[in-house]
Amino acid sequence: MLRARRELSAVSARLREQAERPVSGGESALIGMLGDRLVSVLRSHNTPSTLYYVRADGETYVVKVEFGRAPTLRDEIRWYRNAVQRGLPRRLFITGHSGPGLSFLLLKRFGDGSTVDDLALAGESTGQLGRHVASAMDSDTELFHRTQCHVGQDHVHRLTERRLALRRSQAGKFPYLRTLMDVDVVTINGIGLPGASRCLNRVFGDPRLVSYLTPDRVGMTFGDLHCGNILVHEGFTEVVDPRGGPLLPITYDYGKLIQSVEGGYGAVMAGRYVLRRTDGTAYEFDPEVVPGYSSVAVLLAASCDELRYLQSLYYAALHFTAMLPHHASAQEETTALYLCGVSLFDKLLTQLA
């Protein structure tokens, strides 16, 4: 272990050196620098992050890198540091650094990278899936309760409005996405549903609904607790890709779970869906139903009272709307995610009625 620490210290020192100046040659320069320590490289399709797997004393570690000014990774590094400062260290975190050339995060590798989504799509039993999700929820809830504070509903609602305004601005760069965001009615499998913007206007235009759906306490959460970020290995779970930035309500993360187990997010991201536009904003859309998640959704709903569940469902619908610009280069996938969000909005408004 001592040898591994020395080797990792050498790797992180070189990465810090590179981070403080523009990386000549970019990724190829970094690969050359890691040399025979490099095991493999994994690129994300919807974020600027790249994962480099490296060896130290026979063990494999993960270096998560973003080149140039990288706000996403800087926020993640800030989250880990805040956790450590609050006496809540994370087992996988080793070190991280932000610089003008690149930002990097050095982590222990956890298992083979299998996620709850992977297991669910492979047919894992409901009981096992439920235990994995419950473990992640317990960890997130403990984190929240140890850091929570009262801020008032107006503060939380303003956070929501600012995030959606930013995403709408980003969506405007893609004509097809701007059309989707603004459409009044979208037809899914022959049923006309109000579009996302119309649903948002209905909620935001009713102070009673805003008050009912907006919590007044925030704290540290993982910030992105969907099932694709819950790693599983030998019966244990770890959550990766935390989101830095402002403190959030716990229902924000519960909404991420609903996004996975009720919203079809995992099936869409795995490409396991059928989508065909039939006319204008009319679609045939059929995401694969994951049997294990159907039962986990019942367990998730049962773990919350009615108010917390509806607030979480509200955030789940918002998540689908807010995430669209990050996927916009893949039009079919983005459209599928939008339709998932519309379906959740319809479920929310139906239950509120």
Side-chain angles (χ1 to χ4, degrees):
M1 181 60 70
L2 183 59
R3 178 181 170 185
R5 288 199 194 102
R6 287 198 298 266
E7 292 180 359
L8 288 172
S9 293
V11 169
S12 61
R14 294 199 66 187
L15 286 167
R16 280 189 172 87
E17 183 181 340
Q18 289 293 135
E20 292 308 317
R21 62 175 184 269
V23 181
S24 177
E27 186 174 334
S28 60
L30 186 61
I31 290 174
M33 185 193 77
L34 294 172
D36 59 8
R37 293 191 186 281
L38 185 68
V39 178
S40 61
V41 182
L42 178 65
R43 296 171 184 81
S44 172
H45 82 290
N46 66 337
T47 74
S49 300
T50 304
L51 301 183
Y52 299 82
Y53 294 94
V54 299
R55 287 192 183 91
D57 196 22
E59 296 294 329
T60 303
Y61 296 83
V62 180
V63 183
K64 189 173 184 179
V65 173
E66 288 183 11
F67 292 97
R69 300 192 178 278
T72 302
L73 192 50
R74 280 203 303 269
D75 286 346
E76 189 173 336
I77 294 168
R78 185 186 305 120
W79 188 94
Y80 278 110
R81 287 177 176 164
N82 285 342
V84 172
Q85 289 171 0
R86 293 169 183 262
L88 303 165
R90 309 309 302 174
R91 289 194 308 160
L92 303 185
F93 176 66
I94 299 174
T95 188
H97 183 75
S98 300
L102 60 82
S103 296
F104 74 89
L105 187 61
L106 183 57
L107 303 166
K108 297 177 184 177
R109 188 181 184 188
F110 184 75
D112 62 359
S114 294
T115 68
V116 170
D117 265 341
D118 294 331
L119 299 181
L121 291 168
E124 180 86 0
S125 70
T126 297
Q128 289 290 347
L129 291 175
R131 281 189 282 275
H132 299 324
V133 171
S135 176
M137 284 183 68
D138 289 345
S139 178
D140 201 31
T141 302
E142 180 184 0
L143 182 66
F144 177 80
H145 284 318
R146 291 176 65 175
T147 57
Q148 68 176 316
C149 59
H150 182 276
V151 294
Q153 291 177 318
D154 287 345
H155 173 82
V156 177
H157 182 58
R158 283 195 299 272
L159 285 177
T160 302
E161 285 188 310
R162 284 199 297 268
R163 181 168 180 253
L164 289 171
L166 173 62
R167 296 294 191 258
R168 180 173 289 279
S169 173
Q170 294 170 338
K173 300 174 184 177
F174 301 88
Y176 86 89
L177 184 50
R178 186 170 60 246
T179 298
L180 273 179
M181 295 286 280
D182 291 340
V183 69
D184 192 51
V185 175
V186 60
T187 301
I188 304 176
N189 300 331
I191 300 173
L193 301 177
S197 290
R198 181 174 165 189
C199 293
L200 285 170
N201 290 338
R202 179 174 172 184
V203 174
F204 287 1
D206 187 337
R208 293 173 303 170
L209 270 184
V210 170
S211 177
Y212 185 72
L213 293 173
T214 306
D216 60 3
R217 289 185 174 274
V218 297
M220 278 192 73
T221 68
F222 289 119
D224 200 12
L225 193 66
H226 63 76
C227 291
N229 279 344
I230 304 174
L231 302 184
V232 179
H233 179 60
E234 296 181 347
F236 295 95
T237 63
E238 283 286 346
V239 180
V240 293
D241 292 348
R243 292 288 184 262
L247 299 178
L248 297 166
I250 190 64
T251 46
Y252 183 98
D253 260 7
Y254 288 178
K256 286 287 185 176
L257 287 174
I258 290 176
Q259 183 184 24
S260 287
V261 302
E262 293 189 42
Y265 177 72
V268 170
M269 296 306 295
R272 293 165 69 160
Y273 63 92
V274 175
L275 174 66
R276 186 170 71 90
R277 187 167 73 172
T278 57
D279 180 31
T281 55
Y283 299 88
E284 291 178 357
F285 178 51
D286 184 23
E288 181 177 320
V289 175
V290 182
Y293 276 164
S294 300
S295 299
V296 172
V298 175
L299 296 174
L300 182 59
S303 70
C304 304
D305 59 29
E306 182 181 19
L307 174 59
R308 176 164 287 188
Y309 175 74
L310 289 173
Q311 289 179 344
S312 302
L313 183 58
Y314 171 55
Y315 274 109
L318 291 177
H319 291 327
F320 275 114
T321 303
M323 73 190 302
L324 299 178
H326 290 315
H327 298 255
S329 60
Q331 183 169 341
E332 183 179 280
E333 178 182 277
T334 304
T335 302
L337 292 171
Y338 173 83
L339 297 178
C340 289
V342 166
S343 298
L344 282 187
F345 264 124
D346 180 66
K347 180 175 182 177
L348 170 70
L349 294 177
T350 298
Q351 293 198 26
L352 286 171

